[in-house]
Amino acid sequence: MKTPTFSDGVVIAVTAAVAGTALLTLINTILPLETTVTLLTTIGTALYLIYLLKRSAQTVGRIITLALWLSVSTVAWLGGVELPLYLLLQLGMIWLTRSLYFYNGLFPALADLGLNILSLAAAYWVLIQTRSTALTLWSFFLTQALFVYIPASMREKPASLDSTQMATDRFNHAHRAAETAVRKLSSSH
């Protein structure tokens, strides 16, 4: 299984910028802008989550993760959640998925949350400055591509305390304690 790379993220950013802009232009002729953005956000998030799940070494819970995302998205959309909150929900699902499938602790997950906030801020800034859908999507997904540089775990285990050695040390300690107890019992009789 191939893990995500920054190059993959660049390809996703280019694809999202080109396809997102084309689809926005096309669908916006039929639907209102807010509905179009919500629809494209939903499709884009679904595709990105599928990409993340396919690239993860974890296989447990993929269907449940997608079902959770689908449930949250459906309830939010049918419930009439405003677009900014809907976008935050989708971003939250991206963060949750990466936190569950790519990190082994709280600190990497918090670093990823910071990256998500940064990507949202970058996309918003680009949108305000340029009014360009392509550049906004490019900025968002290019910033998202940086998640591959967040280490899976931000705490080092001492080299002498790997799990096999720890189990061996505990066994040896218990064995010595048992021998000591047997000697005491045999010397007292």
Side-chain angles (χ1 to χ4, degrees), residues 78-150:
L78 295 177
V81 170
E82 296 293 321
L83 183 59
L85 181 56
Y86 188 80
L87 294 173
L88 287 175
L89 285 171
Q90 297 303 309
L91 191 62
M93 287 304 299
I94 290 170
W95 170 73
L96 182 63
T97 301
R98 286 201 307 233
S99 295
L100 291 173
Y101 285 89
F102 291 95
Y103 307 125
N104 294 326
L106 177 64
F107 293 117
L110 289 175
D112 193 86
L113 179 62
L115 182 65
N116 277 289
I117 293 168
L118 178 65
S119 67
L120 183 63
Y124 183 72
W125 182 81
V126 168
L127 180 64
I128 296 300
Q129 296 298 316
T130 67
R131 299 283 184 215
S132 168
T133 303
L135 289 176
T136 300
L137 290 170
W138 163 258
S139 299
F140 176 78
F141 281 105
L142 189 62
T143 309
Q144 288 288 315
L146 296 172
F147 93 92
V148 300
Y149 296 115
I150 299 172

Side-chain angles (χ1 to χ4, degrees), residues 11-188:
V11 170
I12 289 170
V14 169
T15 304
V18 172
T21 302
L23 288 172
L24 181 71
T25 304
L26 179 67
I27 297 173
N28 194 39
T29 60
I30 303 167
L31 297 173
L33 181 61
E34 188 168 322
T35 305
T36 302
V37 171
T38 303
L39 176 64
L40 292 178
T41 300
T42 305
I43 292 168
T45 303
L47 293 173
Y48 190 65
L49 291 179
I50 290 168
Y51 159 78
L52 290 173
L53 293 173
K54 286 184 71 109
R55 292 298 178 97
S56 169
Q58 297 282 345
T59 57
V60 177
R62 290 179 179 184
I63 301 297
I64 292 171
T65 301
L66 288 175
L68 174 66
W69 166 80
L70 184 60
S71 300
V72 167
S73 299
T74 302
V75 167
W77 194 342
L78 295 177
V81 170
E82 296 293 321
L83 183 59
L85 181 56
Y86 188 80
L87 294 173
L88 287 175
L89 285 171
Q90 297 303 309
L91 191 62
M93 287 304 299
I94 290 170
W95 170 73
L96 182 63
T97 301
R98 286 201 307 233
S99 295
L100 291 173
Y101 285 89
F102 291 95
Y103 307 125
N104 294 326
L106 177 64
F107 293 117
L110 289 175
D112 193 86
L113 179 62
L115 182 65
N116 277 289
I117 293 168
L118 178 65
S119 67
L120 183 63
Y124 183 72
W125 182 81
V126 168
L127 180 64
I128 296 300
Q129 296 298 316
T130 67
R131 299 283 184 215
S132 168
T133 303
L135 289 176
T136 300
L137 290 170
W138 163 258
S139 299
F140 176 78
F141 281 105
L142 189 62
T143 309
Q144 288 288 315
L146 296 172
F147 93 92
V148 300
Y149 296 115
I150 299 172
S153 178
M154 290 186 173
R155 59 189 158 112
E156 289 286 321
K157 292 181 183 176
S160 64
L161 295 179
D162 68 354
S163 60
T164 306
Q165 187 172 359
M166 285 175 52
T168 303
D169 289 347
R170 282 183 283 185
F171 175 80
N172 288 337
H173 178 55
H175 186 260
R176 283 191 302 272
E179 284 179 336
T180 302
V182 168
R183 266 189 253 125
K184 283 183 180 179
L185 283 173
S186 63
S187 66
S188 64

